[in-house]
Amino acid sequence: MHEFSLAQSVYDTTLSVARKHKVKQIRKVVLKFGIFALIQEDQFRFCFDLIKSDSKMTAETVLDILWVPGELKCLECDFKGEVSSFPQEHQELAPIFQCPSCKSFSTEIISGTEAIIDSLVF
Ligand SMILES: [Zn+2]
């Protein structure tokens, strides 16, 4: 399960940063997820809530999730722009996007695949 391992790594990173700064409690974790990172927010929150109860430092931690829009580049016509949804026939691992301008399938995702910790509030 993709969300569980992601939640675990967010938790591990958060704890190690908190220890480095010698803080006792982490109030908030701000995350940035790209819409193409294929993360189910509900599942992610559920997993993180399970894991965070392991430590007093994170027991009360609130998650703030910012969704980053996706951007597509067309290799045929140089179109560059935001795409907000997956193509209908998308497959989990390798979604193929069609250029909204020239309908070509030679496209490249240039942003929207990130899953990163943006900031921590102690
Ligand atoms: Zn194009």
Side-chain angles (χ1 to χ4, degrees), residues 74-79 99-104 106-107:
C74 176
L75 305 175
E76 296 284 338
C77 74
D78 274 344
F79 165 88
C99 171
S101 165
C102 74
K103 312 289 174 213
S104 163
S106 330
T107 55

Side-chain angles (χ1 to χ4, degrees), residues 36-96:
F36 300 144
L38 299 170
I39 299 157
Q40 297 284 329
E41 183 167 343
D42 288 355
Q43 270 186 42
F44 181 84
R45 287 184 179 277
F46 177 79
C47 296
F48 190 83
D49 281 350
L50 279 182
I51 301 168
K52 78 175 190 183
S53 56
D54 277 358
S55 166
K56 273 188 184 153
M57 281 200 273
T58 52
E60 306 296 324
T61 302
V62 174
L63 277 185
D64 213 345
I65 298 177
L66 310 171
W67 286 95
V68 182
E71 237 193 313
L72 196 72
K73 185 179 141 192
C74 176
L75 305 175
E76 296 284 338
C77 74
D78 274 344
F79 165 88
K80 225 169 132 182
E82 243 179 54
V83 267
S84 52
S85 62
F86 276 105
Q88 293 246 291
E89 69 281 20
H90 106 259
Q91 286 162 5
E92 273 269 312
L93 294 175
I96 297 167

